[in-house]
Amino acid sequence: MRRTIAETAVLKPLGALRMLGAIGALPRNPRTMLTYDASLAWAALLLFAIGLVMVYSASIAMAEASTYTGYRAWYFLIRHAFFLVAGFVAGFVAFQLPTKAWQRLAPWLFGAGAVLLAAVLIPGIGKSVNGSRRWLSLVVVNLQPSEFMKLAVVLYAASYAVRKAAFLHAQQPLRQTLLRGFLPLCAVMLLMGGLLLLEPDFGAFVVIVGIAFGILFLGGLDWRLFLALVLLLPAGLSAILVAAPYRLQRLVAFLDPWSDPFGKGYQLSHSLIAFGRGEWFGVGLGSSVEKLMYLPEAHTDFLLAVIAEELGFAGVLAVLGLFVWLLFRAYAIGRQAARLERPFAALVAQGIGVWIGVQAFINIGVNMGVLPTKGLTLPLLSFGGSGIVANCIALAILMRVDYENRRLLRGFTV
């Protein structure tokens, strides 16, 4: 079957992923395959299960000591379980939609996400917690639009790359690539980034920009523009640090948390203590000391530190292994979709991998003291309703891409 110009422009750059060897290779006998990727499903379910157990363990002390929770030790466990159920229901609904429907919805979802990001900045509508205005109150729960915006960016950037494929490829004149391929999406991402920085939510800004330009690169962005972007990145980050002095102070604290262990370096120093106490096999489930009101945000941003203390290096390695396999399968599914001439599905699958990979990398790096402190949760594990539901929907879409791949290999239509 003859490929269109747009499909050729998108699929050719995906050949850069051939360095991964046989990832996504078509099976010899497609009719013997399952209708879904069992290993991907089990990896995700194990991460959700570990998250449920560890959120409960990490939050007991805080729940028992807070009037907000009514001194109920199981408060966060029940809420996290509720979020998981809501996420599974949302994921089931999302799985029913074909990828072609997601491609049509992408611009509308992105627009809705932008409206919600602007709404949180309006006094009386947006809810402020710890100095950050990132939530919309829905009475029973709080909605964090930035979590759903990450998914919207995956879909929109993939749709954009397919539509603009002819202007992204290196065979085009650089001026055309810049003006018609790169700058329009760059302007939109900077606008969304500006809204996130006003909240402020620098961590979400980094993830969203990483998703957008990661998908552009996979979709065929001229390598010269990508290299220029990488070279300009330090200058952009420096400008953001200078514009907000507290971010520069966080950077200084990250470089030497022990210089001010009771001030700016408090979170990181206690996270490192938790890692040190865990050693190889941990102090035992439920036996963490750092979660006893020493480590702030133990059930959200610093959940991995509690895992390291209670389950040790073995527990951390298990979590990392599950994330690596999940990302491996996301890129394999995307590569297979590319071979089946489904550019949008390919970029969505790999974009979801970029999202989960970048956010997990940042959170793990923060917990281990190799990156500055950011307000980012650990995907699939940390407490947080919006994040859990958004992750479930993203994984459902990934499973849908794989499901459609398998149907095509069997000779059916999608």
Side-chain angles (χ1 to χ4, degrees):
M1 182 174 64
R2 186 178 179 182
R3 295 174 181 167
T4 65
I5 294 175
E7 288 174 334
T8 302
V10 172
L11 293 173
K12 185 174 180 179
L14 291 175
L17 296 175
R18 289 171 187 162
M19 67 182 69
L20 298 179
I23 292 178
L26 303 184
R28 294 180 180 178
N29 187 4
R31 295 187 180 277
T32 64
M33 291 190 310
L34 296 174
T35 57
Y36 69 99
D37 191 328
S39 65
L40 172 63
W42 277 110
L45 287 173
L46 284 172
L47 285 170
F48 283 130
I50 292 171
L52 181 65
V53 172
M54 295 311 302
V55 163
Y56 179 48
S57 178
S59 64
I60 290 176
M62 184 175 67
E64 288 181 334
S66 174
T67 56
Y68 176 77
T69 63
Y71 308 107
R72 294 168 290 184
W74 41 264
Y75 177 83
F76 290 102
L77 171 66
I78 298 299
R79 288 180 68 84
H80 194 71
F82 170 78
F83 294 145
L84 282 174
V85 171
F88 290 159
V89 172
F92 176 79
V93 174
F95 182 82
Q96 309 309 311
L97 292 178
T99 53
K100 291 180 180 178
W102 287 110
Q103 187 172 5
R104 291 193 297 269
L105 288 172
W108 299 99
L109 293 175
F110 185 81
V115 170
L116 292 177
L117 284 181
V120 300
L121 301 175
I122 301 175
I125 297 179
K127 182 178 180 180
S128 180
V129 178
N130 296 328
S132 297
R133 188 179 294 274
R134 304 176 185 175
W135 296 268
L136 295 172
S137 179
L138 300 181
V139 184
V140 179
V141 296
N142 293 324
L143 176 70
Q144 189 172 358
S146 61
E147 293 294 338
F148 294 97
M149 192 62 183
K150 295 169 188 174
L151 175 60
V153 168
V154 170
L155 297 170
Y156 181 76
S159 172
Y160 180 89
V162 171
R163 287 186 286 108
K164 298 289 186 177
F167 302 108
L168 291 174
H169 200 266
Q171 293 179 351
Q172 291 287 333
L174 185 60
R175 184 172 179 273
Q176 286 278 12
T177 303
L178 180 65
L179 294 179
R180 304 191 65 175
F182 177 74
L183 285 182
L185 183 63
C186 181
V188 172
M189 289 300 109
L190 289 177
L191 177 61
M192 296 303 102
L195 293 175
L196 288 168
L197 291 177
L198 289 174
E199 292 184 3
D201 194 348
F202 183 66
F205 167 74
V206 172
V207 173
I208 284 176
V209 171
I211 292 169
F213 294 118
I215 290 178
L216 274 187
F217 175 72
L218 293 170
L221 180 65
D222 190 327
W223 67 268
R224 293 169 293 179
L225 278 179
F226 189 80
L227 179 61
L229 183 66
V230 171
L231 294 176
L232 287 173
L233 186 61
L237 292 178
S238 299
I240 293 174
L241 290 174
V242 171
Y246 77 91
R247 295 195 183 103
L248 184 60
Q249 292 172 359
R250 281 188 178 183
L251 179 62
V252 173
F254 141 73
L255 295 173
D256 186 11
W258 306 110
S259 63
D260 188 12
F262 298 104
K264 300 179 182 66
Y266 183 79
Q267 287 179 306
L268 179 54
S269 60
H270 280 279
S271 179
L272 295 176
I273 290 171
F275 270 86
R277 292 192 74 246
E279 298 185 352
W280 288 100
F281 299 103
V283 297
L285 185 62
S287 301
S288 168
V289 171
E290 287 301 318
K291 70 182 183 183
L292 304 178
M293 311 302 289
Y294 292 104
L295 182 62
E297 310 298 336
H299 61 308
T300 55
D301 300 357
F302 285 90
L303 184 66
L304 188 69
V306 179
I307 294 175
E309 186 178 4
E310 296 191 348
L311 305 181
F313 176 76
V316 173
L317 190 62
V319 170
L320 292 179
L322 289 171
F323 271 116
V324 169
W325 183 253
L326 192 150
L327 300 182
F328 176 87
R329 291 308 306 154
Y331 280 97
I333 291 168
R335 180 173 170 80
Q336 190 174 81
R339 292 189 176 197
L340 293 170
E341 300 187 0
R342 305 177 62 217
F344 174 76
L347 292 175
V348 166
Q350 292 169 351
I352 291 171
V354 170
W355 165 17
I356 295 176
V358 169
Q359 185 164 334
F361 175 80
I362 294 175
N363 179 273
I364 293 168
V366 167
N367 276 255
M368 297 178 67
V370 297
L371 290 174
T373 303
K374 297 284 182 296
L376 281 176
T377 57
L378 187 59
L380 284 70
L381 282 92
S382 293
F383 178 81
S386 298
I388 289 293
V389 173
N391 292 159
C392 287
I393 295 174
L395 290 174
I397 295 173
L398 180 60
M399 295 287 287
R400 178 71 194 196
V401 173
D402 178 66
Y403 170 75
E404 292 181 357
N405 287 347
R406 292 166 187 256
R407 282 187 59 85
L408 287 172
L409 290 172
R410 285 187 170 92
F412 298 109
T413 59
V414 294

